[in-house]
Amino acid sequence: MKILHIACGFSYSKVYDKLFKALYEKGSDFEVYAPQHTYTDAFEINSEKYVYDVISEKVINKIDKILYFTKIRKMTKSVISKFDLSGFSLLHAHSLFSDGAIAYEIFKRFNIPYIVAVRNTDINQYYKKGIHLRPYAYNILLNAYRVVFISESYREKVLTNTLPKKIAQLIQKKSLVIPNGIDEFWFNQKSRSKEINDNVIKLLFVGRIDVNKNLENTVKTSKLLNAKGVKCNLIIVGDGPLKEKLESKYDFEFVHFKGSVNNKEILKNIYLENDILVVPSYNETFGLVYIEAMSCGTPVVFSKGQAIEGLFPIDNIGKSVNPNDPKSIATAIIDIINNYNKMSINCINSIDQFNWDKIATKYMTIYKEY
């Protein structure tokens, strides 16, 4: 069985390469289609650097952000011209509105079945803003052989609160959850649980400093805890459009902005040195930072109905919170402090499911089902 992977996001995320390498090592026969933008070389694809076959074409221009169906027609035409589709048994579309649309159009013309993934951008950008595109998205989902969600919380959110009930019921039967994986580097950190120093709690934020990551309420939580006599420091690792504004606004003694960290060894040490990762994002499909922190024995705070919720037993590796309520976040942090050693051990013992080899095995099982 030969698979055609359709991945518009290939240039922007290392997740795809990690998955494709794992699939290649397991003997999967596949090729990758990765369309690119015509107006930038910032994410140029060098197909020679990959052990598997990647075929790309600069086919997306700036106006295609507005002319959705024009973009889909262009990319579909590109696929048809660059691949002998008669040689493929299955298509794997790695997003709904872009990759899934291409797969759906190919399915209609060549009757090649496809599986499709639903990601954060699909729901919180395309679906939310492109109301006129929703009927088309329903057709993509209904005609898919399988629908993959990155987390249980996201599947629950989409099927319960987003899609029309009749559509959701039909998709539920063929949906499944397969999370993203983490780099092998993080599995090497599984060495010991951590103890917490009750004198000063070291809270950690790692991520892009923007509205969605909700750093402002994390800072307010730290302030609230200090006011309650729970002394804590907040270490902030990351950059983004709100960094300068928040750094100026929250010039507190207990808040420390450290900037971006791109070195894994340094980031590992940051996770090890701090006590609790607090990233209560408003929207988060998965969130690799949570799993990276857990690999170092660091419990995590994340938003209800987002990110990794549903992948672990309740309150096992941290706490889910209301991202709009600093009091809720503060209460969660206190609960983690009171159960710290147990949660730290659970974190270390819970990350095996994010091994890329195991994730590739799950996908291979799906491929063989058809």
Side-chain angles (χ1 to χ4, degrees):
M1 169 179 281
K2 190 171 184 178
I3 315 295
L4 175 58
H5 291 272
I6 305 172
C8 289
F10 181 84
S11 300
Y12 306 97
S13 174
K14 295 179 181 179
V15 165
Y16 297 103
D17 181 43
K18 298 292 184 183
L19 173 60
F20 297 152
K21 280 182 178 176
L23 289 170
Y24 177 84
E25 290 172 0
K26 297 193 78 65
S28 180
D29 185 12
F30 67 91
E31 293 182 45
V32 178
Y33 174 67
Q36 292 184 279
H37 294 100
T38 60
Y39 52 87
T40 179
D41 294 326
F43 301 97
E44 190 79 32
I45 293 175
N46 178 8
S47 59
E48 294 181 359
K49 66 179 284 190
Y50 302 104
V51 294
Y52 46 86
D53 293 328
V54 181
I55 296 179
S56 183
E57 183 177 18
K58 290 196 171 187
V59 67
I60 308 168
N61 59 41
K62 289 183 178 180
I63 201 169
D64 288 332
K65 292 181 178 180
I66 302 172
L67 302 177
Y68 171 79
F69 288 104
T70 299
K71 177 179 72 173
I72 299 306
R73 283 195 295 270
K74 287 164 64 176
M75 291 192 293
T76 302
K77 183 178 179 181
S78 175
V79 171
I80 293 172
S81 69
K82 290 188 170 294
F83 295 90
D84 177 10
L85 293 175
S86 65
F88 293 96
S89 302
L90 188 69
L91 309 173
H92 185 159
H94 290 268
S95 69
L96 173 58
F97 278 90
S98 293
D99 305 333
I102 300 170
Y104 175 52
E105 292 299 327
I106 292 174
F107 168 73
K108 289 194 295 183
R109 300 185 200 185
F110 298 92
N111 200 33
I112 304 174
Y114 62 92
I115 68 174
V116 63
V118 181
R119 299 185 180 276
N120 180 45
T121 302
D122 290 315
I123 300 304
N124 291 301
Q125 291 189 30
Y126 280 106
Y127 192 88
K128 183 177 180 180
K129 299 175 182 178
I131 297 175
H132 63 293
L133 300 178
R134 292 180 183 180
Y136 187 67
Y138 301 152
N139 283 328
I140 297 172
L141 292 167
L142 290 171
N143 284 279
Y145 166 62
R146 287 283 198 172
V147 179
V148 178
F149 293 91
I150 307 304
S151 69
E152 184 60 49
S153 63
Y154 220 71
R155 174 165 67 171
E156 180 70 17
K157 176 182 177 180
V158 171
L159 296 182
T160 304
N161 301 321
T162 305
L163 299 177
K165 187 175 181 180
K166 289 184 179 180
I167 301 292
Q169 287 175 339
L170 292 170
I171 294 170
Q172 172 75 39
K173 300 174 183 178
K174 57 183 178 183
S175 71
L176 70 163
V177 174
I178 302 179
N180 287 329
I182 58 174
D183 194 284
E184 187 66 28
F185 169 86
W186 298 103
F187 289 96
N188 298 330
Q189 313 318 312
K190 292 176 58 179
S191 56
R192 58 182 177 81
S193 61
K194 294 162 59 175
E195 300 290 341
I196 195 166
N197 183 349
D198 292 334
N199 294 326
V200 181
I201 308 301
K202 293 176 287 186
L203 305 179
L204 174 65
F205 172 96
V206 177
R208 180 173 168 79
I209 302 176
D210 58 15
V211 173
N212 182 56
K213 294 296 183 180
N214 196 23
L215 174 58
E216 193 152 13
N217 276 340
T218 302
V219 176
K220 290 178 180 178
T221 299
S222 303
K223 184 178 180 181
L224 184 61
L225 286 168
N226 278 293
K228 287 185 173 183
V230 181
K231 190 172 182 180
C232 64
N233 288 325
L234 174 62
I235 309 301
I236 298 166
V237 175
D239 203 348
L242 295 182
K243 181 178 182 293
E244 290 186 8
K245 176 185 176 181
L246 297 184
E247 195 168 9
S248 175
K249 182 177 181 180
Y250 296 113
D251 185 20
F252 300 150
E253 182 182 357
F254 57 85
V255 177
H256 309 277
F257 285 81
K258 298 295 184 180
S260 295
V261 173
N262 297 315
N263 183 289
K264 287 188 290 189
E265 284 286 351
I266 296 175
L267 187 57
K268 175 200 73 174
N269 289 330
I270 290 173
Y271 286 132
L272 290 170
E273 291 166 1
N274 290 281
D275 299 316
I276 303 170
L277 179 75
V278 187
V279 186
S281 304
Y282 290 114
N283 294 298
E284 194 79 70
T285 306
F286 182 60
L288 286 174
V289 293
Y290 305 111
I291 313 303
E292 291 173 354
M294 287 169 53
S295 76
C296 297
T298 306
V300 295
V301 173
F302 53 94
S303 296
K304 291 183 184 294
Q306 300 293 330
I308 57 175
E309 186 171 59
L311 292 176
F312 309 97
I314 296 173
D315 300 340
N316 185 267
I317 47 81
K319 299 285 287 188
S320 63
V321 298
N322 176 356
N324 295 300
D325 184 7
K327 290 182 179 179
S328 164
I329 303 172
T331 299
I333 290 170
I334 292 171
D335 188 64
I336 291 174
I337 294 169
N338 292 334
N339 298 277
Y340 193 83
N341 186 252
K342 179 181 178 181
M343 285 190 177
S344 180
I345 293 171
N346 289 340
C347 285
I348 293 170
N349 293 334
S350 297
I351 67 166
D352 283 345
Q353 63 180 299
F354 305 105
N355 178 285
W356 278 116
D357 180 75
K358 292 185 178 182
I359 291 167
T361 298
K362 291 181 180 180
Y363 278 115
M364 294 283 281
T365 300
I366 299 172
Y367 301 157
K368 292 175 183 177
E369 282 178 356
Y370 186 79

